[in-house]
Amino acid sequence: MRIGVLTGGGDCPGLNAAIRAVVKHGELAYGHSVVGFRNGWKGVAEGDFVTLNRSDVRNVLPTGGTLLGTARFHPHREENGMEQVLRTLRAEHIDGLICIGGDGTLHAASKVAEQGIKIVGIPNTIDNDVEGTDLSIGFHTAVNIATEALDRVHTTAESHNRVMVVEVMGRSAGWIATYSGMAGGAEVILTPEEPFDIEEISKYLIHRHRSHASFSIIVVAEGALPKEGSDMNYEAPVGPYGSIVAGAISEAVAYEIQQRTGFDTRVTVLGHVQRGGVATPTDRILGSRFGVAAVDALSQGKSSLMTALRGEHVELIDLKEIAGKVRKVPQDLLYVAGSLS
Ligand code: F6P
């Protein structure tokens, strides 16, 4: 077979582990040839690709980013996008395509699969919001980075008796905030899943600082919002392509807390640091397992599926079922996060 592979959407550590597994397993187990499309679906539309063999993926297992490049390009939303993609795949005799990305890239994959192209998707996003899988590539590394940042913020917060507001990524889900907030011992964790009441939080901080503490850490997911009708004027600004504007919610929360409590408050926005650097062993292994499973599925003639981690097992689930959905943090996890803060 001649297999194509692409990485679309936000990059993250663990992507190269998946590409490496596709190339190595494809070649060693089946004698497949592999081509890498540059910059996600854009490279497919433009016919921009490279032949990949084992020497091209030597030493990439730990490295962050993606050796193929990425872009936020969705052929089904671009004029002639789908035609261009189908033309390239047919002209290059691509027998099967492995699409590594978040819900945008996977949604496009389900659309291209409807045109008869053999496709298997691999979930990668630090947001961990892809429906159907317990874990997406990159989430584990992002949680590690955010938790380490919270450990660092603790020492300066305590030294200055301050309230520190730390904003983490995650789009419209609160996975990074919930996991890093729990692991980092935050006093308050704000997620999109549970709109917050700033007056309630301020009262809690005043009580806390009067009774037993002199500093507090607040983790805010970039997509968190105040409760409707609660006493905080906030309209979330919208960035390019409808994206979230980093720093907006954390600055607003910090301002309100400073006004209502008088406590010295500072903001830290972690931003793209959460997507950089080397992959944790968990993300290297997850990327490798998903890469192998995707090659096996295509080699068995399967299509329109996504690799998914369910407990300890890698399974294949229907791509159509997950496309366009956002996986939210479940109530039981939010309950525990709320109980310990
Ligand atoms: O989807 C991953 C992510 O990092 C989100 O957490 C964040 O909202 C967005 O991408 C940032 O996008 P960009 O890299 O285009 O600024």
Side-chain angles (χ1 to χ4, degrees):
M1 279 178 93
R2 189 165 150 79
I3 289 181
V5 59
L6 65 86
T7 55
D11 71 309
C12 64
L15 273 176
N16 286 330
I19 298 169
R20 171 180 172 271
V22 167
V23 174
K24 287 192 78 167
H25 187 57
E27 214 178 287
L28 292 169
Y30 300 97
H32 295 330
S33 61
V34 179
V35 296
F37 288 98
R38 289 207 180 92
N39 307 321
W41 284 111
K42 195 164 179 287
V44 187
E46 296 169 355
D48 182 7
F49 63 89
V50 285
T51 302
L52 291 174
N53 54 49
R54 276 183 289 149
S55 61
D56 300 307
V57 293
R58 207 159 280 143
N59 304 325
V60 303
L61 183 56
T63 57
T66 161
L67 64 94
L68 289 175
T70 182
R72 296 189 185 281
F73 179 95
H74 304 129
H76 58 298
R77 295 204 193 115
E78 301 285 335
E79 201 179 332
N80 302 325
M82 191 59 85
E83 292 76 14
Q84 291 167 341
V85 158
L86 296 175
R87 193 181 310 129
T88 300
L89 295 172
R90 292 188 177 126
E92 296 304 327
H93 307 290
I94 300 295
D95 302 307
L97 186 60
I98 295 175
C99 305
I100 314 177
D103 73 318
T105 303
L106 297 169
H107 195 180
S110 74
K111 295 285 179 196
V112 176
E114 281 167 14
Q115 306 295 319
I117 303 292
K118 292 228 177 305
I119 286 190
V120 174
I122 292 181
N124 112 263
T125 171
I126 65 167
D127 306 331
N128 205 35
D129 61 354
V130 173
E131 189 67 36
T133 182
D134 297 347
L135 211 49
S136 293
I137 300 171
F139 173 62
H140 193 263
T141 304
V143 169
N144 268 36
I145 294 167
T147 304
E148 195 208 328
L150 288 169
D151 293 345
R152 290 172 183 274
V153 164
H154 257 88
T155 55
T156 179
E158 186 164 16
S159 306
H160 289 266
N161 306 310
R162 282 178 172 155
V163 174
M164 304 297 274
V165 177
V166 179
E167 181 176 308
V168 296
M169 284 183 161
R171 290 205 309 170
S172 59
W175 289 96
I176 301 174
T178 305
Y179 270 62
S180 64
M182 285 172 68
E187 273 68 45
V188 177
I189 302 171
L190 305 181
T191 65
E193 285 83 354
E194 288 182 320
F196 61 86
D197 183 327
I198 198 69
E199 189 52 28
E200 225 176 75
I201 294 167
S202 304
K203 284 196 182 119
Y204 163 73
L205 291 173
I206 290 168
H207 171 74
R208 173 180 155 77
H209 287 222
R210 280 208 188 122
S211 58
H212 63 276
S214 64
F215 72 95
S216 294
I217 310 284
I218 300 180
V219 172
V220 183
E222 62 179 357
L225 291 171
K227 255 188 210 146
E228 259 183 51
S230 71
D231 168 24
M232 178 175 164
N233 253 333
Y234 177 74
E235 188 124 355
V238 179
Y241 316 110
S243 60
I244 291 175
V245 175
I249 188 64
S250 51
E251 290 292 350
V253 166
Y255 172 79
E256 292 290 340
I257 287 173
Q258 179 104 25
Q259 295 299 309
R260 293 163 192 258
T261 66
F263 297 147
D264 197 11
T265 307
R266 294 287 187 279
V267 171
T268 300
V269 179
L270 294 184
H272 290 75
V273 168
Q274 294 158 97
R275 290 202 341 223
V278 296
T280 61
T282 299
D283 274 326
R284 298 175 203 187
I285 294 164
L286 188 64
S288 302
R289 293 182 73 187
F290 281 165
V292 167
V295 168
D296 288 343
L298 279 181
S299 309
Q300 293 152 13
K302 295 176 179 163
S303 180
S304 197
L305 297 169
M306 182 189 83
T307 60
L309 188 71
R310 299 276 177 88
E312 281 307 307
H313 303 288
V314 171
E315 297 177 10
L316 293 165
I317 63 170
D318 191 338
L319 199 47
K320 282 196 291 302
E321 264 173 42
I322 61 108
K325 293 184 184 155
V326 174
R327 179 172 170 262
K328 295 280 186 173
V329 180
Q331 270 309 317
D332 62 332
L333 195 50
L334 293 169
Y335 164 73
V336 177
S339 312
L340 299 176
S341 59

